Amino acid sequence: MTPVDRAADLRQTLARARHDGGRIGFVPTMGALHAGHARLIARARDECDTVVVSLFVNPLQFDRTDDLERYPRTLEADTALCSSLGTDVLFVPAAGEMYPAEPLCRIDVGRLGAHLCGARRPGHFGGVALVVMKLFQMVGPDRAYFGEKDAQQLAIIRRLVRDFDVPVEVVGVPTVREADGLALSSRNRRLSADERERAPALHRALLEAARLIDAGQTDAGAIVAEARAEVPEDGDLRVEYLEIVDPDELQPVQRITGPVLVAGALWVGHTRLIDNLSCTPPAARP
Ligand code: PAF
C-alpha cells in the first residue's frame, strides 16, 4: 500500500494505474474506520483494479467546532485496516493540502439540503459537496463508494455528479448494523456503556415506521407520531427529527403512495446519531 499526502504525488501514482487501463475505485472517508467502511473498501476491492482510500477530517463540513475537535482520529488503526483490506493507495492530506487558501467558490446543494440533516446543520452539505468534488478532481475515480447510512449525503453526491458531469459511477453500499440494529458509525465510539444500550431506540423507531407503511398506513404524520413513541425521550435521549421524504428529491411526503425514505437523528447524551430505512408501500410494489 502506498501512503500519499500530496495531491501531486497522488495524481502521479494514479496516472500509472490509469495508463495500464485499470478501473480505479475510490472510498472517501474521514477516518475512524469501522466495519461499515471495511464493507465499502471490500466492495471497491472486488470491483476495481486499483483501490484508493482517503482519510481527511474535513473542517468545512462541521457546523460545530466542538464536534470537529471531538471527532475520533485513529490513523494507525485506519492505516492497518486499509492495508489488510488490500488498499493500493492511502491518501492522507493535511488541511493545508486540501485548502491551501480559503475556497471562494462554494457549492449550494439547493433543496436537497433543505430538510433532514441539512435543515439542522447549516453549511454541512455544502462542505461535503466541496470536499468530495475536490477529491474527485484529485483521484479521478471510475467508481466511488458511499454508505447508505448517510442517505442525504448519497443523494446529494449523486446529484453533484450529474450536475457537474463528473465521469464517476457512484455506488451506494448498504448500512452495516450491530446485532441490536444500531447502525455502525465513527461516532458510536463516543457513547458510554449506558448510552450504547439506549442508542438502538432510533432504529426501533424506524422499524416501527416501516412496519406501519408495510401494514398499509399512508398518513406520514400519523406514522411519524407512532414511530417517535418508540423513543423514551428524557434528558439523555432526544429525537432531533424523524421525517418521511421522497428518496430522490428528499422533500417531505404527506401521503405515502410510492417509495420513501424514513430518516431520523437522535441525540444520545452529547452524541448525535443518524439512521434511515427505505420503504415501499404495498400498493406501489410490483
Ligand atoms: O461520509 C464521510 O465520511 C464524509 O462526509 C466524506 C464523504 C468523506 C466527505 O468528507
Side-chain angles (χ1 to χ4, degrees):
M1 182 172 80
T2 313
V4 176
D5 58 8
R6 299 205 170 272
D9 296 339
L10 176 71
R11 284 202 176 91
Q12 203 175 22
T13 307
L14 292 176
R16 262 175 261 137
R18 203 165 290 113
H19 183 260
D20 295 342
R23 179 186 278 165
I24 296 174
F26 178 41
V27 182
T29 80
M30 296 206 299
L33 303 182
H34 50 66
H37 295 108
R39 183 78 58 89
L40 304 181
I41 299 169
R43 179 89 180 262
R45 185 67 286 164
D46 274 357
E47 297 179 354
C48 303
D49 302 290
T50 301
V51 175
V52 183
V53 177
S54 65
L55 306 180
F56 178 63
V57 182
N58 173 34
L60 256 55
Q61 70 187 75
F62 285 82
D63 51 317
R64 296 158 51 123
T65 36
D66 63 317
D67 192 26
L68 173 61
E69 277 157 17
R70 293 177 65 227
Y71 200 83
R73 286 159 173 88
T74 56
L75 182 58
E76 219 172 293
D78 293 349
T79 305
L81 182 71
C82 288
S83 173
S84 73
L85 292 167
T87 300
D88 298 295
V89 181
L90 184 64
F91 181 45
V92 192
E97 182 67 11
M98 288 304 289
Y99 301 116
E102 167 90 17
L104 290 179
C105 301
R106 300 293 176 129
I107 298 177
D108 178 354
V109 301
R111 64 177 177 277
L112 286 186
H115 299 281
L116 312 176
C117 294
R120 282 93 188 170
R121 302 187 65 191
H124 170 67
F125 287 115
V128 170
L130 186 71
V131 80
V132 169
M133 195 67 182
K134 283 176 73 91
L135 289 165
F136 282 169
Q137 298 298 324
M138 293 170 177
V139 176
D142 297 286
R143 286 193 180 166
Y145 297 81
F146 295 87
E148 289 177 354
K149 181 179 77 68
D150 298 304
Q152 189 169 20
Q153 168 172 286
L154 180 57
I156 287 171
I157 289 165
R158 286 193 195 285
R159 187 61 194 245
L160 182 77
V161 159
R162 213 172 100 196
D163 286 355
F164 288 94
D165 293 306
V166 186
V168 60
E169 185 187 336
V170 174
V171 181
V173 178
T175 303
V176 179
R177 298 181 181 282
E178 302 278 9
D180 60 7
L182 179 67
L184 295 198
S185 162
S186 303
R187 290 186 164 87
N188 291 355
R189 61 183 87 200
R190 288 188 193 163
L191 301 171
S192 68
D194 179 52
E195 289 169 348
R196 169 63 190 84
E197 209 171 295
R198 305 187 71 193
L202 175 58
H203 182 57
R204 282 199 299 276
L206 297 175
L207 284 177
E208 177 60 6
R211 188 188 69 75
L212 294 168
I213 293 170
D214 222 36
Q217 282 208 38
T218 59
D219 178 343
I223 292 168
V224 164
E226 279 196 54
R228 273 188 87 126
E230 287 295 312
V231 183
E233 288 190 81
D234 56 27
D236 289 329
L237 219 56
R238 182 172 64 80
V239 175
E240 187 181 80
Y241 70 80
L242 193 64
E243 290 181 27
I244 300 183
V245 297
D246 77 271
D248 301 317
E249 292 288 315
L250 308 179
Q251 301 304 300
V253 165
Q254 263 85 51
R255 183 90 22 220
I256 300 172
T257 56
V260 289
L261 182 76
V262 188
L266 178 71
W267 281 97
V268 186
H270 295 289
T271 304
R272 181 179 179 276
L273 303 177
I274 61 169
D275 198 357
N276 67 83
L277 287 178
S278 295
C279 306
T280 301
R285 288 182 201 151

